Amino acid sequence: MPIPLVDVGLQNAAIRDELMNTIGQVIDSSGFILGKWLEQFEQSMAQFCECNHAIGVSSGTDALLVAMMALDIKAGDEVIVPTFTFFASAGSVWRAGAKPVFVDIDEGTFNIDDHAVEAAVTERTKAIMPVHLFGECADMKSLCETARKTGVKIIEDAAQALGARDHDRPAGTIGDIGCLSFYPSKTLGACGEGGMCLTHDGDLAERLRRLRHHGQTGVYEHAMVGGNFRLESLQAAILNVKVQTLADAVEKRRAVACRYHELFADLPVKMQAVPSGQYHGYNYFTIRAPQRDALREHLTKCEIAAPIFYPMPLH
């Protein structure tokens, strides 16, 4: 039997009737942009993430972009990002007009090297963007200390880390703004695109809400230049159904990962290190293998999906 990397159909099948009922309600309401469906989902996510404000946006990539707009990051500014991550982390910095400054990762955790971050801060540095890769939080205690000393902001790329925690603090709620993705393959996946910004700061939250809706403060009144970064009501309603099973979904992933750790313990592979105090969300389970390509070829012949995350560092 083929083993896919992610079986989205299996995830949705268990709650298909409830999803279809909700989709019908949204269609019958004709409320497709902003409104009650989005507000309900934002409230659910703020509660799940233990955060004051959750602002739904059009994608995880747009969450990163609008976060930088909210922090007034622009041409001439620098944002420190890990060189080992998905392209959107650095691409969003470039779209904002700023310069991504690449730093290396820790070999064990695959996350940004906090010592390298401190060395990379200059007078042009506006923000640090730790990426909680594969579902494990970066060392936020150290990064927050660097941010405090240097006066820079922290934008958490938590696209792969919903449900993860760093010393009991939910991923995406530790820095100034946290960014989530609801791409279908994520632990909480939409039936299309979707994203979210998290913040405890009320003023930042209001700015994010305006920016996602063309900077609008009233009907045809625009206090700033924003964009169309709205999360569609249909996706918000679907996600609000699925978020009810999110905690269970994270626990199931952790149980599978625990089994992998047991089975792989005596094999010549290296798994992502999990430091004390980290609660891994396991959006992906990754290994390093001395004969990677041969192993991948073998797994492919066995119909087990084993893509490479990621084949080339961004620098």
Side-chain angles (χ1 to χ4, degrees):
M1 184 180 82
I3 307 296
L5 178 68
V6 179
D7 192 339
V8 176
L10 184 64
Q11 294 176 0
N12 293 332
I15 53 173
R16 186 180 187 280
D17 290 345
E18 190 174 359
L19 288 174
M20 295 304 292
N21 180 57
T22 299
I23 290 169
Q25 290 182 47
V26 176
I27 292 173
D28 291 343
S29 75
S30 298
F32 301 123
I33 305 296
L34 302 177
K36 71 172 186 177
W37 305 103
L38 178 59
E39 291 172 4
Q40 289 173 2
F41 176 55
E42 290 176 333
Q43 290 169 7
S44 296
M45 286 301 295
Q47 182 176 2
F48 181 87
C49 295
E50 302 169 23
C51 191
N52 292 342
H53 305 280
I55 301 94
V57 295
S58 42
S59 70
T61 301
D62 286 341
L64 293 171
L65 178 59
V66 75
M68 283 181 281
M69 294 172 68
L71 294 173
D72 197 29
I73 294 172
K74 53 189 181 302
D77 294 332
E78 295 178 352
V79 178
I80 297 173
V81 298
T83 186
F84 185 62
T85 177
F86 181 59
F87 185 81
S89 305
S92 300
V93 176
W94 191 265
R95 284 179 64 197
K99 176 185 177 182
V101 175
F102 297 119
V103 300
D104 210 345
I105 59 169
D106 177 86
E107 186 177 355
T109 66
F110 310 155
N111 277 325
I112 196 166
D113 184 334
D114 52 298
H115 300 296
V117 168
E118 186 168 6
V121 174
T122 72
E123 60 182 14
R124 294 180 297 278
T125 304
K126 196 70 174 284
I128 303 165
M129 185 186 290
V131 179
H132 304 319
L133 205 62
F134 307 137
E136 180 178 305
C137 291
D139 185 348
M140 291 302 297
K141 181 179 180 181
S142 177
L143 293 171
C144 286
E145 179 61 21
T146 296
R148 186 193 64 78
K149 289 191 297 185
T150 59
V152 303
K153 302 296 185 180
I154 293 182
I155 301 171
E156 293 179 71
D157 184 342
Q160 299 179 10
L162 184 56
R165 303 176 79 90
D166 174 38
H167 292 85
D168 208 35
R169 298 173 299 177
T173 69
I174 307 167
D176 295 277
I177 302 176
C179 300
L180 305 176
S181 169
F182 305 122
Y183 189 76
S185 64
K186 297 297 190 287
T187 306
L188 178 61
C191 294
E193 297 280 2
M196 179 163 278
C197 291
L198 304 172
T199 185
H200 292 295
D201 187 315
D203 291 336
L204 268 181
E206 181 59 27
R207 188 170 172 84
L208 288 162
R209 291 189 186 98
R210 291 180 180 181
L211 285 166
R212 75 173 172 187
H213 192 40
H214 296 288
Q216 187 166 301
T217 54
V219 179
Y220 298 121
E221 295 177 359
H222 303 267
M224 62 189 75
V225 176
N228 181 0
F229 304 125
R230 300 182 296 255
L231 177 62
E232 295 177 354
S233 298
L234 192 60
Q235 297 301 339
I238 289 169
L239 288 163
N240 201 42
V241 171
K242 300 181 77 172
V243 75
Q244 310 308 320
T245 62
L246 178 57
D248 183 57
V250 173
E251 285 308 307
K252 286 179 178 178
R253 286 172 180 265
R254 286 176 53 80
V256 171
C258 182
R259 183 64 173 149
Y260 283 158
H261 275 281
E262 293 173 354
L263 293 171
F264 297 169
D266 296 326
L267 297 179
V269 298
K270 290 184 178 181
M271 293 165 279
Q272 188 176 19
V274 184
S276 176
Q278 292 288 356
Y279 186 87
H280 204 311
Y282 289 105
N283 193 157
Y284 298 110
F285 189 93
T286 57
I287 62 172
R288 296 175 62 200
Q291 300 182 58
R292 184 193 68 182
D293 294 340
L295 175 59
R296 186 173 182 233
E297 182 180 351
H298 170 72
L299 291 172
T300 300
K301 288 179 180 178
C302 295
E303 298 186 286
I304 299 172
I308 300 171
F309 281 70
Y310 296 97
M312 185 182 297
L314 296 182
H315 71 275

